[in-house]
Amino acid sequence: YFLLPCALIACAAVLLFKAPDEASVLTTVFSDRPPSAWWWRFCIAWLAFPVIYYFFGMFAYPLVADAYQSGEFALEVPSQLLILGAVSIRSLLFLLVTIPILMHWSKSRKGLIFSLGIALAAMVGVVAMIEASWLPTTVRLVHGVEIIIDSFVHAWVLVALLMAKPKIE
């Protein structure tokens, strides 16, 4: 059952981890600034996903609330503490996995946002939404769109915070 998600994540990893061309590598914040200049960026990057998740979740939940409240599909809304804990851990893991990609990316910032957005969407669960045929179509569609938007906004925030703009020579 996990063949498709694993294959998509592997494809994203292959695309993201191509050997960088040293002449065109975009410098990361880490390499040209002292820790005092970027520690706060790391903290904001870690907190960004929970904020983004909650923000877009506020729009998605009213559209899927009936499915959760009906008890028909074994869906249950977990406690806010459980959600916050899980999303915070997930955010830290995403950040740790993303740092090497940011440090070695050799293509455009837009390309990084696009590639990272796709990879994050796959990891967050858009593939699971596609495969969850037992869920109502509305739930799958709403959560799928929410996951894609969350992931691309999260990717944009990570790139904006942790990638220096290329120096024009």
Side-chain angles (χ1 to χ4, degrees):
Y1 293 112
F2 293 105
L3 182 61
L4 182 59
C6 290
L8 288 173
I9 291 169
C11 289
V14 167
L15 291 173
L16 292 173
F17 285 110
K18 287 185 177 179
D21 174 15
E22 292 299 324
S24 66
V25 171
L26 294 174
T27 307
T28 65
V29 173
F30 308 112
S31 65
D32 64 352
R33 295 185 183 153
S36 61
W38 57 262
W39 70 267
W40 62 270
R41 292 172 186 258
F42 182 82
C43 291
I44 292 172
W46 175 44
L47 296 173
F49 183 69
V51 171
I52 292 165
Y53 179 89
Y54 271 96
F55 179 78
F56 288 106
M58 288 187 313
F59 295 103
Y61 185 72
L63 301 172
V64 297
D66 291 342
Y68 283 93
Q69 293 167 354
S70 73
E72 201 173 321
F73 303 99
L75 295 174
E76 186 176 314
V77 178
S79 71
Q80 291 300 309
L81 187 60
L82 183 63
I83 292 172
L84 186 58
V87 174
S88 296
I89 291 169
R90 184 184 281 185
S91 182
L92 182 60
L93 292 173
F94 290 161
L95 180 58
L96 293 174
V97 168
T98 302
I99 289 172
I101 297 167
L102 295 171
M103 291 176 70
H104 297 290
W105 185 258
S106 63
K107 297 180 182 175
S108 72
R109 292 167 65 92
K110 287 179 184 176
L112 176 57
I113 293 168
F114 180 75
S115 298
L116 197 54
I118 290 172
L120 290 172
M123 289 189 289
V124 171
V126 78
V127 175
M129 284 296 115
I130 293 169
E131 292 179 341
S133 59
W134 57 274
L135 285 174
T137 304
T138 304
V139 171
R140 293 170 59 204
L141 185 62
V142 168
H143 281 312
V145 170
E146 174 196 4
I147 289 168
I148 291 168
I149 293 170
D150 285 354
S151 299
F152 277 93
V153 171
H154 187 209
W156 176 80
V157 168
L158 291 174
V159 170
L161 283 171
L162 302 176
M163 291 288 295
K165 293 193 178 191
K167 296 175 183 172
I168 299 173
E169 296 179 17

